Amino acid sequence: MKLYVILVTWQLLYAGLASAVEPISTSIAVGMAAALTGFLASYPNLFYHFHECCRPEWISFNDTHLDLALNKKLFGQHVASRVVLKTVTGYMNNPNPKKPLVLSLHGWTGTGKNFVSQLIAESIYHEGMQSGFVHLFTATAHFPHQKHLEMYKEQLQMWVKGNVTKCPRSMFIFDEMDKMQAGLIDSIKPYLDYYENLDGVSYRKAIFIFLSNAGGEKIAEVALDFWNQGRDREEIQLKDLEMAVTLSVFNNKQSGFWHASLIDKNLVDVYVPFLPLELKHVVQCGVAEMESRGKQADRDVVERMAQDMNYFPKDARLFATQGCKVISSRLDYYT
């Protein structure tokens, strides 16, 4: 858009000069203006390379990028990695989906839910999380007051409808669903359903991602059971977790999903469980953080930091209470 304004301004400038100078200069000015006009006509798509818009130049799914990022940057989440890659890839490669993609990511803090939503955005949008077509909502920041619930519902409906009208391939991320007011998220339930369009707007190419700590205890229980039975963590499958998570979320009165119709009507495509992280995963996070800062990873420092963190159960010190969430600030103390 900025380039367009500049070129049009030059056109007007030269047109103005043409009426104020001698004939030979006038012909030059008019010629330059004509050349600019021809340039614009010949390259109408040039502007799209300078300003983000709802076009393939800015929105194009890269499954290889998502696959590599999940395998190399996400630690201790073999179930979540597999489920997210297959679900997102299948949806993005479907030219005619029957409904929007709806993912619900569950697990304790620091296990990678926000990070995965970021990786999904980066695999689809050229600008990643900075894209004007990616919209992040947090319960405590955007919907803090119970007394304004009805107003929030109307605003959320208008926001989703307006942005999908602008770009069908819009992404909406709802963080802190465990703190969301009950009933709020059902206000957009029609947009997640199997409708070809609503009031002339199709939502089938939109993506909705919900992030929640709810269900984390059930996921930890399953992981602990596997450990107590002497079974490998990698043996845990989605089927071992999904039903427990669904019931826990639906029946949790403190969750924004409490008795939500979008769950009752099976509009969530998949519940993605994030396992609690072990010490070795915290170490991997620490090494990755140091490398991201352009430093050579000092494994002794990282392991000392990881050992000093809190783990549960207390007698076994198996799972990190805070996962990898505090790694960045903790490293500053140990280095």
Side-chain angles (χ1 to χ4, degrees), residues 102-106 174-186 188 192 208-215 245-264 267-272:
V102 183
L103 301 177
S104 193
L105 280 49
H106 296 268
F174 295 86
D175 196 5
E176 302 180 331
M177 280 300 299
D178 47 303
K179 299 181 179 68
M180 192 78 71
Q181 296 181 39
L184 174 58
I185 209 64
D186 269 346
I188 60 170
L192 278 58
F208 296 83
I209 302 177
F210 302 108
L211 313 179
S212 176
N213 293 343
V245 171
T246 305
L247 293 176
S248 175
V249 171
F250 186 73
N251 293 316
N252 186 347
K253 291 185 178 182
Q254 276 68 53
S255 171
F257 281 130
W258 183 63
H259 286 194
S261 63
L262 63 91
I263 293 181
D264 192 36
L267 297 181
V268 176
D269 294 295
V270 63
Y271 296 87
V272 185

Side-chain angles (χ1 to χ4, degrees), residues 135-155:
H135 312 281
L136 173 63
F137 301 92
T138 61
T140 52
H142 295 99
F143 316 108
H145 305 296
Q146 174 67 38
K147 63 181 179 181
H148 297 319
L149 177 59
E150 294 306 315
M151 180 185 71
Y152 294 151
K153 289 181 179 180
E154 294 180 7
Q155 291 178 338

Side-chain angles (χ1 to χ4, degrees), residues 271-284:
Y271 296 87
V272 185
F274 283 71
L275 297 166
L277 300 182
E278 300 176 8
L279 185 144
K280 63 182 179 181
H281 305 127
V282 176
V283 171
Q284 289 177 307

Side-chain angles (χ1 to χ4, degrees), residues 284-314:
Q284 289 177 307
C285 289
V287 170
E289 175 63 24
M290 292 191 77
E291 292 176 346
S292 71
R293 298 180 182 185
K295 300 179 180 179
Q296 183 174 358
D298 188 330
R299 198 170 185 87
D300 290 337
V301 169
V302 174
E303 289 184 353
R304 187 167 72 252
M305 175 212 65
Q307 287 285 357
D308 288 347
M309 293 176 65
N310 295 320
Y311 294 83
F312 71 95
K314 289 185 178 181

